[in-house]
Amino acid sequence: MKRVYLDNNATTKLDPIVKVKMQPFFEELYGNPNSLHQYGIEVRPYLNEAMGNMYDALNAPDADDILITSCATESNNTVLKGVFFKHILKNPTKNHIIASAVEHPSVLETLHFLEENGAEITFVDVDAYGYVSAERIAAAITDKTILISMMWANNETGMIFPVAEVAQIAKERGILFHTDAVQAIGKVKVDLTATPIDYLTFSAHKFHGPKGIGGLYVKKGSELPNLLHGGEQMGGKRAGTLNVAYIIGMGLAMKQSVGHLEKMNSDVRSLRDRLEDAISQIPDTFVVGDRERRTPNTILISLRGIEGESMLWDLNRAGIAASTGSACASESLEANPVMSAIGQDPELAHTAIRLSLSRFTTADEIDYVIDVFVKAAERLRSISSTYAYTNEVG
Ligand SMILES: Cc1ncc(COP(=O)(O)O)c(CN[C@@H](CS)C(=O)O)c1O
């Protein structure tokens, strides 16, 4: 049985080149970079190289900060709770935060927590394509708005949001702007010199780096209080001994992924389109969002009459890994939240399947998935007690 991994929006495999680069830091180069002796000093040049890789990949000005965190969840919490402590607690007249209604739970749940503690939050709905327009975000601005938080690309649909426009609106209105770029880096061009972003969050395991390491870009002048206090690491802006091997892995992985942007938007996109064209031929299917505004690797498709979990089980038995939506919500048998947010009827919202490719996906794998997916749909509909082909129903 083949094994085909099509859940790259959940996590990706470690780039083999990155694994080789990380190896020595699990062996002889184990010093603490904050130590003053040779064991600590000898790892610093490698850390500087890794940080340089990230500044270059994001075209981030040297004057700005990139803080290392444990994951994007920590980075998102750092931004939202930092704005609350620095601005909202001190000036309740500026206590309003705007976010899209389809942010990742690490944003949504943090905002709900801040709401319980006095912040005013506006969650802006998406349209039927799963897209949130700059106009809708701008319409939510009041004289109390202190922060706009809008992801660069959605993890379930792949829809790419209007970051450049919203960043410009925020700058003109004197409002801080945060974007969760976890699903954007390595898929779309991210340029922190061209776009006036105050805070940008990312996670290495989304672009073929190790799990358990992430980052937070902070524009000079937009500094926030620490989420974690303690030692002098990261200039005292994020305490905790640096995970040297993982930082080096994240730096190289980001350089590699941004270096493969062209391949992601040509070869990988072609494979995604081939898969999408084939499975869209199945009757009564619905793909969320238009391709031109989606990340090149993602498909969110609903098949009327087929529970998402049932389809996943059939795919899994054939060695194919996919998801019904974000991994952090996969245990829940609730309707896919994004499908609900775009106004899909509840019955359809339970049938969503997310397929997300990577630069390591091959044409043979896609041909195999097409064959299995079509046969699974036929099998599951043939045993469905509620489904009849709509074109057969008079
Ligand atoms: C847009 C976005 N923002 C934050 C995160 C969290 O990343 P962590 O490094 O796990 O903390 C994720 C991770 N989304 C995975 C797991 S829930 C998915 O299956 O969609 C994300 O997609």
Side-chain angles (χ1 to χ4, degrees), residues 343-371:
Q344 272 311 319
D345 66 62
E347 189 264 338
L348 203 55
H350 279 277
T351 68
I353 293 290
R354 180 180 71 176
L355 300 161
S356 45
L357 290 66
S358 82
R359 66 175 187 262
F360 297 99
T361 304
T362 67
D364 284 348
E365 290 175 335
I366 292 301
D367 291 340
Y368 175 68
V369 171
I370 290 168
D371 182 56

Side-chain angles (χ1 to χ4, degrees), residues 21-35:
K21 181 77 173 180
M22 291 170 65
Q23 200 61 42
F25 303 91
F26 295 113
E27 293 161 359
E28 63 277 9
L29 292 173
Y30 58 83
N32 180 328
N34 286 77
S35 300

Side-chain angles (χ1 to χ4, degrees), residues 9-10 71-74 76 104 106 151 153 155 180 182-183 203 205-206 325-328 354:
N9 286 9
C71 58
T73 295
E74 179 189 334
N76 288 334
H104 183 267
S106 60
M151 64 197 337
N155 50 317
D180 175 344
V182 164
Q183 298 289 345
S203 192
H205 71 105
K206 305 293 185 184
S326 68
C328 48
R354 180 180 71 176

